[in-house]
Amino acid sequence: MTKARIEGLLAAFPKLMTGGRQHTFVETESVRYVYQPLDKLYMLLITTKASNILEDLETLRLFSRVVPEYCTQLTEMEVLNQAFNLLFAFDEIVALGYRESVNLAQVRSFVEMDSHEEKIYQAVRQTQEREAANRMRERAKELQREKLEAAKRGQTPRSSTAFSGGFGNSSLGSSSAPTSSPIAEKLPTTPVRETQAASTAMKLSSRGADVDSFVSRLAKEGDVAALAPVHLRFEERLSLTLGRDGDIQNFELSGLLTLRIVNEQYGRIHVHIDNKDTRPLQLQTHPNVDKEAFRSSGVIGLKQVQRPFPMHSDVGVLKWRLTTGNDDKLAPLSVNCWPSEGAGGGCDVNIEYELEQDHLVLTDVVINIPLPSGNTSVVVHQWEGSYAQKGRTLLWSIPVINKQQKTASLEFTVTPAIPNDFFPITVTWTSDTSLAQLTAIKVTQAEDGSPVDFSQDISFRPDKYEVV
């Protein structure tokens, strides 16, 4: 069938429509138009007169159900914006002029299906990029450590020499441009002037400045471990299921403290932990850690004091766990949803959140509210933060929730809808504060108790947070 033929059939359709009569099809001498109104638009199926009209009507109904899956509003502009997604979905329903034996769930699954090979490729690529970034950080740490040690001895830092000559064959006295390397390409470079051999030291000084700039840039990007010989990481994950009345149906908090040492002279250390949590935390230390010292004074150190901690790797030294108790205030954030049936078959929905733990600071909070399927109208009356509709989900985003901004509400109306359409609600966030209130107060040498510079970061996020 040519393009001109298709355009001619579509142009003839409006002229065949008769007002005041309820029909689902119109026939001409050669074709049959099967159609269904969608607000101000029509879903149209053009078939031969010999086709089974019952099967055509069933196919048309499936087409009509697919459109609201991708179009939040049934307007011409929205259909144009979602044209490719609709074409992909239509292609799963009809192939070579014949309908495939599929339902709406299968169409949705086929369209959203991911490529296994693509996932493998992306995973390999991310691993390679991560390894390259780690090598850059390790090299920057070595350069910084050499510079600090040289400064203590009152000598000229060897970092510039190692950096300019360690990756190539050029000698120190050569005035030629340094050979390129994967790390050197990432560093800001300065033009090298043609000077006499006596000015070689100036070129080394310029290179050292480049190293300082690189280390400073790593620090600004959050890699504090590049500046501290000992780095601690507190990582917490939460799995929480709440009932609609606010009761906790399932609660499990799991945490892990990892230790990373980048300088061998700080291999034998003690980490002093402060536990301000009054709840029954289940604490478990690594088998090589002195349990009695941790129970009595909160000190994490090896049983065999003469042995050092492993270097340049994240070593788990402490785990903690908190499960459901009788306290409904265990949840860091409570979310209450109040849908009530309104006029015209719609629902008026009021959602409110409140921070239950005042010491927490939650950032990038997103509350995902499901919406009913089909052609629905969503009108938001009151909100704080921002909101957006994505498919059949209303995303309510709040930048920060803390003690000063601990509660807010969202009000909207959906037509048509019933109260059960708005569950389950899921919540995501990121946080650099700990729910279990475990922190490191100091790090000391195991031999003489002298203080050791250290850095720490905290990560707290939910693996699952839903209101059912």
Side-chain angles (χ1 to χ4, degrees):
M1 185 178 290
T2 63
K3 179 181 178 181
R5 171 68 170 158
I6 295 175
E7 292 178 345
L9 292 173
L10 292 176
F13 174 67
K15 302 175 183 178
L16 299 173
M17 298 291 294
T18 56
R21 301 177 62 184
Q22 297 293 330
H23 284 295
T24 56
F25 69 94
V26 175
E27 291 185 351
T28 65
E29 294 180 357
S30 57
V31 297
R32 178 188 296 128
Y33 297 91
V34 186
Y35 61 91
Q36 178 178 332
L38 295 178
D39 287 352
K40 297 181 180 180
L41 305 176
Y42 281 94
M43 172 59 65
L44 175 64
L45 208 62
I46 304 177
T47 68
T48 62
K49 296 178 67 174
S51 66
N52 189 326
I53 190 172
L54 295 179
E55 292 183 358
D56 295 341
L57 290 173
E58 185 64 28
T59 304
L60 180 66
R61 279 192 288 269
L62 183 55
F63 274 119
S64 301
R65 292 174 61 193
V66 163
V67 174
E69 288 287 320
Y70 300 96
C71 300
T72 57
Q73 297 177 345
L74 295 179
T75 61
E76 184 176 356
M77 182 60 66
E78 182 68 13
V79 171
L80 291 175
N81 291 337
Q82 301 294 334
F84 284 102
N85 290 329
L86 291 174
L87 287 175
F88 293 147
F90 292 167
D91 187 59
E92 298 295 337
I93 300 174
V94 175
L96 300 176
Y98 295 94
R99 183 195 166 174
E100 298 287 342
S101 180
V102 293
N103 54 35
L104 181 60
Q106 291 173 322
V107 171
R108 188 187 304 122
S109 176
F110 294 156
V111 172
E112 295 177 355
M113 188 173 294
D114 296 326
S115 169
H116 181 64
E117 289 77 9
E118 181 182 3
K119 286 185 176 180
I120 294 177
Y121 169 77
Q122 294 293 346
V124 171
R125 181 176 179 179
Q126 291 175 4
T127 301
Q128 293 174 343
E129 292 176 352
R130 188 162 53 249
E131 290 176 352
N134 290 336
R135 286 195 296 268
M136 291 172 59
R137 292 189 179 95
E138 292 297 334
R139 183 58 184 161
K141 294 171 189 176
E142 293 177 6
L143 296 173
Q144 182 71 8
R145 184 170 63 252
E146 291 177 1
K147 182 178 179 181
L148 292 175
E149 292 175 354
K152 291 179 181 178
R153 295 192 298 265
Q155 300 175 356
T156 303
R158 234 171 32 87
S159 59
S160 55
T161 305
F163 191 81
S164 61
F167 295 97
N169 297 324
S170 59
S171 62
L172 187 61
S174 173
S175 61
S176 61
T179 58
S180 62
S181 69
I183 296 182
E185 291 175 359
K186 298 293 184 180
L187 293 176
T189 57
T190 56
V192 180
R193 296 180 180 178
E194 293 294 334
T195 58
Q196 298 179 354
S199 63
T200 305
M202 294 185 63
K203 286 189 287 185
L204 290 176
S205 176
S206 175
R207 228 10 131 161
D210 289 343
V211 173
D212 292 341
S213 176
F214 180 56
V215 175
S216 300
R217 192 165 73 246
L218 283 178
K220 290 180 181 179
E221 292 175 356
D223 190 11
V224 188
L227 303 178
V230 178
H231 182 68
L232 305 173
R233 179 172 178 80
F234 294 81
E235 189 172 4
E236 288 184 338
R237 298 292 180 265
L238 175 66
S239 177
L240 176 62
T241 302
L242 292 171
R244 301 183 187 183
D245 296 330
D247 56 308
I248 294 179
Q249 298 182 2
N250 178 57
F251 179 97
E252 183 176 355
L253 175 71
S254 58
L256 175 65
L257 169 60
T258 57
L259 169 69
R260 186 180 183 91
I261 302 175
V262 297
N263 194 327
E264 294 182 358
Q265 70 180 25
Y266 301 113
R268 292 182 288 274
I269 58 173
H270 286 162
V271 180
H272 299 256
I273 301 298
D274 183 21
N275 181 9
K276 298 181 180 179
D277 206 308
T278 58
R279 296 168 295 189
L281 281 177
Q282 302 174 18
L283 299 171
Q284 180 181 6
T285 57
H286 190 277
N288 292 334
V289 171
D290 189 346
K291 294 181 175 58
E292 292 301 324
F294 180 73
R295 289 195 187 101
S296 60
S297 56
V299 174
I300 295 178
L302 293 178
K303 293 178 182 178
Q304 302 178 7
V305 294
Q306 70 277 9
R307 291 181 54 188
F309 283 100
M311 297 288 110
H312 305 291
S313 62
D314 294 327
V315 181
V317 293
L318 177 65
K319 292 181 179 180
W320 60 94
R321 186 168 176 264
L322 181 63
T323 56
T324 306
N326 297 324
D327 187 6
D328 286 341
K329 296 296 183 180
L330 283 176
L333 185 73
S334 62
V335 178
N336 296 316
C337 180
W338 297 83
S340 57
E341 296 184 3
C347 273
D348 299 323
V349 185
N350 187 301
I351 296 182
E352 182 183 30
Y353 69 78
E354 183 175 1
L355 184 67
E356 300 291 351
Q357 310 293 334
D358 288 345
H359 70 279
L360 289 176
V361 177
L362 308 181
T363 57
D364 300 327
V365 183
V366 179
I367 301 177
N368 304 273
I369 309 153
L371 298 174
S373 59
N375 183 21
T376 58
S377 171
V378 181
V379 180
V380 179
H381 307 291
Q382 177 184 341
W383 71 93
E384 296 182 37
S386 61
Y387 70 91
Q389 185 177 347
K390 184 177 180 181
R392 293 190 300 167
T393 304
L394 185 63
L395 307 178
W396 183 19
S397 303
I398 305 97
V400 178
I401 299 178
N402 53 25
K403 184 177 180 180
Q404 291 73 29
Q405 303 169 337
K406 62 187 304 182
T407 183
S409 62
L410 171 73
E411 296 181 10
F412 60 95
T413 301
V414 179
T415 307
I418 59 175
N420 287 335
D421 289 335
F422 306 100
F423 296 95
I425 297 172
T426 59
V427 185
T428 60
W429 68 74
T430 60
S431 178
D432 57 2
T433 52
S434 168
L435 179 60
Q437 302 188 57
L438 292 174
T439 56
I441 54 177
K442 63 179 179 178
V443 177
T444 59
Q445 292 276 20
E447 292 85 357
D448 54 7
S450 59
V452 176
D453 291 336
F454 73 99
S455 59
Q456 63 178 326
D457 66 84
I458 300 173
S459 173
F460 170 46
R461 64 176 178 83
D463 284 337
K464 182 181 76 170
Y465 186 111
E466 60 181 8
V467 182
V468 298

